């Protein structure tokens, strides 16, 4: 095991992987997707700046929230490249998808509240659907679970 020293300015791929909990292959993938960057040594080894740890944590957390990598890349592109991002920088970019997250939360709450009854699919397979979706009127709004995906 290689440990990243607390005062290290850069990390090898192994050190970054160990410290971030992300496999080296995932780090290389993130780099190929433009989510993180590294410099190359004379021996062509990757070296990541220390603030890459924060970016990797941001990527992983964003992925857990269901945010697509392309969206994460776009938002990370708003961070300064000439300095380590500040708390204010991170707060600013996190606002980029607050509205989307609020919408996801409302959708999950509706799913939680109606999962035992009907998920709004218009399938007419439950007795209650005759009362809540008579004549499959939701089908005129389009395919899928209309009550869940419409605001």
């Amino acid at each position: 095991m290689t440990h990243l020293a607390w005062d290290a300015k850069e990390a090898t791929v192994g050190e970054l992987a160990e410290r971030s909990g992300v496999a080296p292959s995932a780090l290389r993938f993130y780099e190929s997707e433009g989510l993180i960057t590294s410099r190359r040594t004379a021996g062509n080894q990757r070296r990541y700046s220390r603030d890459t740890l924060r970016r990797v944590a941001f990527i992983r957390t964003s992925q857990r929230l269901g945010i697509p990598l392309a969206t994460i890349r776009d938002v990370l592109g708003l961070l300064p490249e000439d300095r380590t991002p500040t708390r204010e920088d991170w707060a600013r970019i996190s606002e980029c998808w607050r509205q989307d997250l609020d919408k996801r939360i409302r959708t999950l709450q509706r799913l939680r509240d109606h999962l035992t009854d009907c998920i709004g699919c218009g399938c007419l397979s439950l007795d209650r659907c005759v009362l809540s979706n008579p004549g499959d009127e939701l089908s005129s709004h389009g395919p899928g679970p209309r009550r869940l995906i419409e605001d």
Side-chain angles (χ1 to χ4, degrees):
M1 276 192 191
T2 56
H3 293 285
L4 181 60
W6 69 271
D7 60 347
K9 302 284 188 227
E10 292 185 319
T12 66
V13 69
E15 291 168 336
L16 184 61
E18 181 181 339
R19 180 67 181 87
S20 67
V22 176
S25 59
L27 294 172
R28 288 188 291 272
F29 173 74
Y30 291 162
E31 190 171 353
S32 72
E33 292 295 308
L35 297 163
I36 61 175
T37 60
S38 68
R39 73 170 185 87
R40 297 298 182 122
T41 66
N44 202 31
Q45 296 174 329
R46 289 177 168 89
R47 292 293 185 268
Y48 298 94
S49 64
R50 187 169 187 89
D51 64 272
T52 304
L53 274 170
R54 175 73 56 141
R55 290 175 189 259
V56 171
F58 183 80
I59 293 164
R60 298 291 293 192
T61 301
S62 301
Q63 286 181 300
R64 290 193 65 184
L65 295 173
I67 297 170
L69 285 179
T71 304
I72 297 168
R73 179 180 44 249
D74 292 344
V75 170
L76 285 173
L78 300 173
L79 288 174
E81 293 184 25
D82 58 337
R83 63 175 170 77
T84 299
T86 63
R87 176 183 296 273
E88 291 78 22
D89 292 326
W90 289 107
R92 181 176 43 83
I93 69 165
S94 68
E95 285 296 319
C96 291
W97 48 60
R98 180 174 297 278
Q99 188 175 19
D100 180 55
L101 290 175
D102 288 343
K103 182 178 177 182
R104 289 171 191 243
I105 289 168
R106 287 191 305 274
T107 299
L108 287 170
Q109 287 172 330
R110 283 196 307 268
L111 177 60
R112 178 201 61 210
D113 295 345
H114 299 289
L115 192 58
T116 57
D117 276 341
C118 177
I119 59 170
C121 65
C123 68
L124 302 174
S125 65
L126 298 174
D127 292 339
R128 182 162 178 214
C129 287
V130 177
L131 297 174
S132 61
N133 187 22
D136 195 20
E137 62 189 38
L138 290 174
S139 66
S140 66
H141 296 264
R146 303 316 309 169
R147 287 197 175 106
L148 290 179
I149 59 178
E150 291 179 353
D151 283 326

